[in-house]
Amino acid sequence: MPSEGFAARVTQVVALAFLFASVPRGFANDNRAGASSKKVLLSASLDLITGKEMVEDSAPTPPQAAAAPQQSGQRRFVIDGIEFIGNRRVRTDTLQARIFSRKGDPYNEETLRRDFQALWNTQFFEDVKLRVEDSAKNPNGKIIIFEVKERPQIRRIRYDGNHSISESDILDRFKERKVGLSVESQFDPTKIKKAEVVLKELLGEHGRQFANVTPQYERIASSNAVILVFKIEEGPKVKVGKIKFKGNHAFSDRKLIRAMRHDRPYAIPLYFMNIPVLTKTYDREKLSEDLEVGIRGLYRDNGYFKVSVGEPILENVDTTHARLGVPLITGRGHGKAVNITIPIEEGERFRMGTLKIVSSDPDKALSLKVDALKAAFPLKQGDIFSTEKVRKALETYGKIYGEYGFIDFTPEPDTEVDDANKVINLTLRFDEQKQYYVHRIDFSGNTTTRDKVIRRELMIDEGQLFNKRLWELSILRLNQLDYFDKIEADKAAEIKRNSKAGTVDITLKLKEKGKQSIGLQGGVSGLAGSFIGLTYQTNNFLGLGETLTFSAQFGSLTRTFMFGFTEPYLFDRPISTGFTVFSSRYNFDQARQESILFQQQVSINPQYVQNYVQNSTGFTVFAQYPLRKLSFARFGLNYGLTRTNIKSFNTASTLLFESLQFRSLTGPSALNGIVSSTITPSISYNTIDNPINSTRGKSFYYSVGVSGLGGNVKTITNVVDMKYFHPINKHRNVIGLHFSAAHTMGYAGQEVPPFSRFYMGGESDIRGYDIRAISPVTFIPEQTNTTLQYHSSSCLGGICSFNVPTLIYVATLPGGDLQGFTNVEYRIPIVGNIVQTSLFLDTGTDGNLRRSALQLNADGFQSLIDPTKAIGGQALPNAALAPPLGSGLTRQLAIAPGTNFRWRGSTGIEFVVQLPIIQAPFRIYYAYNVHRLYQKVVARPPYIDYTEICEPAGTPNALVTCPNPGQVGTLPAQFKGVVWDAWKQYLSQHVLNNPGALNYFEPKTTFRFTVSRTF
């Protein structure tokens, strides 16, 4: 058997050799070319960092093999299978769809090259190899194998060495520039290179023009993922150095530098110069903007229409600077700066020539009168030509046409320069386009507020001509309601045009605010002492726009309750009505309050302080109506009835209310049953966009309150209040101005009650001072007794005593009849409307314009000088005489020097946080008080009638010299020798030359927390 098997195998070998010898030469070559069992045709790999591709082609095409059809009789190969090896994230079906070859197709290497290129172009892979193997099942079959290595996934991105910019800033810039690089994305060298460029650009904007950014990666073990690392070497920060100009004659270097908003240094502007404080970071793009908008714009706004601002000459220089501005402590550092030299060719100055306003369509006339349009143009013929005024004029024309429904109006300016006459003739071509009417107005997002509440604030209605100006005013009215988040006229409204019908459908998108407002207040105040308060308000009750308010405050010195209701539209008419009911108890303890106010124990003679309790109850009703339909000006009428009772706890307070002439009653009855019945007509105008976070608009308010229609108080009070808000710095910041003034006076023989006079100070007017801390100081005379004692066996205990009538003067704070104050704020938002900071300056004063209002009533004055009307029959009949015989007593009360209409100022910084849920502004502020009152207020010297203590002329150390020869006072005549000498010394040291003193020390600085805004 073995010999038979061996013979068979030899026979097969001989037969194959004979067959091979009989095959044509070309066929044999072709068989060798395609018959290798394993062969790598193509391979490609990618360097992940550099992005360089390396491709190897190991299967050269035989001459004419690919193009010429194979001769008959040649062996033909087919694709018996296609395999993909190494793909994990990318499905095989996806890869199969990317190539052209299919199982059963003729084997063709050119087609395989196209397949290989198609897979490589997907950018899915870091490495691709194309292998061809013989099929084990089909002798004419080939197995196509694509070996792939997928690109790694970026699991994390790290920025090493970055100190100048935050990672959030980097991601925002990547998003803005559409870099497409993010965590969990596929590693892409092209995107990484783009990210490198963007990073360098962002670092350059922050002064790091010399920064180097090197991308690297770290592979994560056991996964096809990497950590992408950007190695950053920031280098020195580049600042703006010296800025110079060449060729400027019309404007000084200082004015040109001030026009460069991005590159000018932070400086303190003075009238004749600027004091530089800090230099800004150099940024080439911002410099280009300053050259175009700042310098070229300044020249073109002043007639230099053909000004040429050349390419700046930049010079990099090394600099030294003090670290943190303190060279002696922190030393000096080194940096880099760019000195900038800007060449300018000013050219000639041009004036305004002729103005033509024509239609852009020659076959159609303008809808508005040309003469009226020309009258709105700010430049007249012969005026200095200004591109800024032309630009504003185009905006004005857009608003004018917007009022007539031309919402797509487009103006096109065309200038004709007359070099000979140095004028610019201007032609404005107006493309009016179509005029639109309002077809429908819908609202979205008002989940609580009813449509009619919104619709009644709109100044345009369906079917009317679309008026852009009235639409903007409508948005302002809605913002004033404060029911919704701030509404932007051009963003919140979706306007759909129907050009064929000439109509628009408006959908106003709204977002409701929390209608419930709960405020919790607390703290320490000079007026209220320690207190805690709760305020509840719903400003959109049941979605009908009604306001319901309740507040309560409890403190060591105050207690108040208030309930109010407001209906903005009575009977669906624009009549705003409402009422408030209140009750308050106020304990005015001056000694205690001044200890809180001055943050120290103050030394005040007890006879000079105020100490009383004021209880008030009452109500007000009011109504307002617009002067014309949908107007911002309103007329109001308010009626209030208040009953006040005063309970005095010391002599000073009793004198304040019983002796001052403010009622027809005197004595104890003056303290109870003070009824004020007041009617107050008012007029107001308000275009402020938001009642709390105001950014633009103005308001005016004037009222005159007349008390005396019933009750027993007769006064007239005038109040003026004005506010103005203006956005600046591209509408990011806001300047706010507030002015308020008030005057009150009595009539029909009465004066203003002390508790209705004006006291200033506190967070509502001048922040650095405490509430009611600013007032004139006056002196009220009071008759008292000085007790004198002497030894005598005739008296019980051997000591006799008797009283001498004495007139003393009690210092008190009566308030003023005229006050005025101004607040200036520069508001800077930090986190939208939630967190803001403000720089503020408050100034104001109050005092007594009508000093005759501060006088004793007739009965009180007579009780001091007339023994028949004095209590106990003791009086000082000569007190009205001039010193030294009298005290110069009159009904008119004197005001302490330096306290009447003394200007106060307060400046500082405050931070305001408005929590969205509570809807109340919490703030802390630090204030430095300017021109504060810091002095000891001394009362007038006490007085004893001269008939009691005078001595003859020539008497040593006489207290008072008698006016008549031989006249002697009662005391020296009755008590002579040692007793009188001792009494003289006592009266001189402890009575007559010892007036009371009030330490009126206002604080230098104040740091305070409140829940309110000044305006």
Side-chain angles (χ1 to χ4, degrees), residues 555-820:
S556 58
L557 300 177
T558 62
R559 185 213 64 202
T560 61
F561 297 95
M562 191 275 289
F563 174 78
F565 176 80
T566 302
E567 168 58 63
Y569 267 72
L570 185 64
F571 308 124
D572 287 330
R573 295 174 62 85
I575 303 175
S576 176
T577 59
F579 68 87
T580 59
V581 180
F582 61 89
S583 173
S584 66
R585 175 184 174 88
Y586 168 53
N587 183 3
F588 191 86
D589 188 343
Q590 189 177 356
R592 185 176 178 185
Q593 289 168 323
E594 293 205 3
S595 297
I596 298 173
L597 169 63
F598 302 128
Q599 301 175 2
Q600 60 181 353
Q601 289 293 325
V602 292
S603 176
I604 307 176
N605 191 323
Q607 65 182 351
Y608 289 87
V609 301
Q610 296 293 328
N611 190 356
Y612 65 89
V613 172
Q614 173 183 323
N615 291 285
S616 299
T617 56
F619 71 90
T620 61
V621 293
F622 61 87
Q624 285 187 336
Y625 190 79
L627 294 182
R628 55 188 177 87
K629 185 178 180 181
L630 301 176
S631 171
F632 290 96
R634 302 179 71 90
F635 173 78
L637 191 64
N638 181 302
Y639 174 77
L641 182 66
T642 304
R643 181 182 181 87
T644 302
N645 294 322
I646 305 294
K647 184 176 181 180
S648 174
F649 292 100
N650 68 352
T651 304
S653 297
T654 303
L655 288 172
L656 179 65
F657 290 98
E658 292 186 5
S659 300
L660 289 184
Q661 181 177 329
F662 73 92
R663 291 183 59 193
S664 58
L665 301 175
T666 58
S669 59
L671 299 174
N672 296 308
I674 305 172
V675 179
S676 176
S677 175
T678 308
I679 185 168
T680 307
S682 65
I683 186 170
S684 62
Y685 176 84
N686 184 11
T687 61
I688 295 176
D689 58 352
N690 188 280
I692 297 178
N693 298 309
S694 308
T695 59
R696 63 176 69 243
K698 56 189 174 183
S699 71
F700 172 82
Y701 173 84
Y702 171 73
S703 69
V704 52
V706 180
S707 300
L709 305 177
N712 46 33
V713 175
K714 298 183 183 297
T715 61
I716 299 175
T717 303
N718 292 271
V719 177
V720 177
D721 190 273
M722 293 180 286
K723 299 176 184 177
Y724 177 75
F725 296 93
H726 181 71
I728 62 172
N729 195 17
K730 294 187 177 181
H731 301 272
R732 288 192 291 265
N733 305 334
V734 177
I735 287 182
L737 305 175
H738 178 220
F739 170 76
S740 182
H743 176 259
T744 185
M745 60 178 291
Y747 68 94
Q750 295 190 27
E751 295 298 340
V752 181
F755 56 82
S756 295
R757 300 176 73 84
F758 301 131
Y759 296 84
M760 288 178 55
E763 51 265 22
S764 61
D765 40 55
I766 304 182
R767 270 163 271 206
Y769 299 80
D770 204 358
I771 302 172
R772 298 175 67 96
I774 300 176
S775 167
V777 178
T778 190
F779 308 99
I780 299 178
E782 178 195 4
Q783 188 268 322
T784 184
N785 292 313
T786 298
T787 301
L788 298 178
Q789 297 178 340
Y790 64 94
H791 293 278
S792 174
S793 58
S794 62
C795 298
L796 182 64
I799 299 178
C800 299
S801 63
F802 64 92
N803 294 324
V804 179
T806 306
L807 183 69
I808 63 172
Y809 291 88
V810 180
T812 189
L813 307 178
D817 60 14
L818 176 65
Q819 72 170 10

Side-chain angles (χ1 to χ4, degrees), residues 5 190 209 356 389 413 427 545 578 592 631 692 736 770 837 847 897 910 983:
T190 304
Q209 278 79 16
K356 294 181 181 180
K389 291 183 178 180
T427 301
R592 185 176 178 185
S631 171
I692 297 178
D770 204 358
T837 184
E910 73 176 18
W983 284 357

Side-chain angles (χ1 to χ4, degrees), residues 15 92 185 197 237 260 339 377 420 422 424 433 441 494 552 585 591 608 647 686 692 695 735 887 922 989 993:
T92 300
S185 66
V197 173
K237 194 167 190 177
M260 301 174 68
N339 292 334
F377 194 75
K422 302 297 184 294
I424 296 177
Q433 301 192 35
I441 302 177
E494 180 183 345
R585 175 184 174 88
Y608 289 87
K647 184 176 181 180
N686 184 11
I692 297 178
T695 59
I735 287 182
S887 181
F922 293 83
Q989 295 179 358
N993 294 314

Side-chain angles (χ1 to χ4, degrees), residues 446-464:
N446 53 317
T447 55
T448 302
T449 307
R450 303 187 186 184
D451 281 3
K452 75 170 187 176
V453 174
I454 305 171
R455 198 174 295 276
R456 69 195 183 192
E457 299 296 332
L458 301 183
M459 303 179 74
I460 60 175
D461 204 351
E462 295 167 350
Q464 295 180 351

Side-chain angles (χ1 to χ4, degrees), residues 451-483:
D451 281 3
K452 75 170 187 176
V453 174
I454 305 171
R455 198 174 295 276
R456 69 195 183 192
E457 299 296 332
L458 301 183
M459 303 179 74
I460 60 175
D461 204 351
E462 295 167 350
Q464 295 180 351
L465 191 68
F466 182 80
N467 188 318
K468 196 172 183 180
R469 170 63 177 163
L470 293 183
W471 178 250
E472 291 174 351
L473 294 178
S474 301
I475 298 300
L476 173 59
R477 290 168 62 90
L478 288 174
N479 280 324
Q480 288 179 332
L481 295 177
D482 202 29
Y483 298 164

Side-chain angles (χ1 to χ4, degrees), residues 512-527:
E512 296 267 10
K513 277 187 176 180
K515 64 178 182 177
Q516 315 275 349
S517 174
I518 301 176
L520 181 65
Q521 304 111 35
V524 178
S525 166
L527 175 67

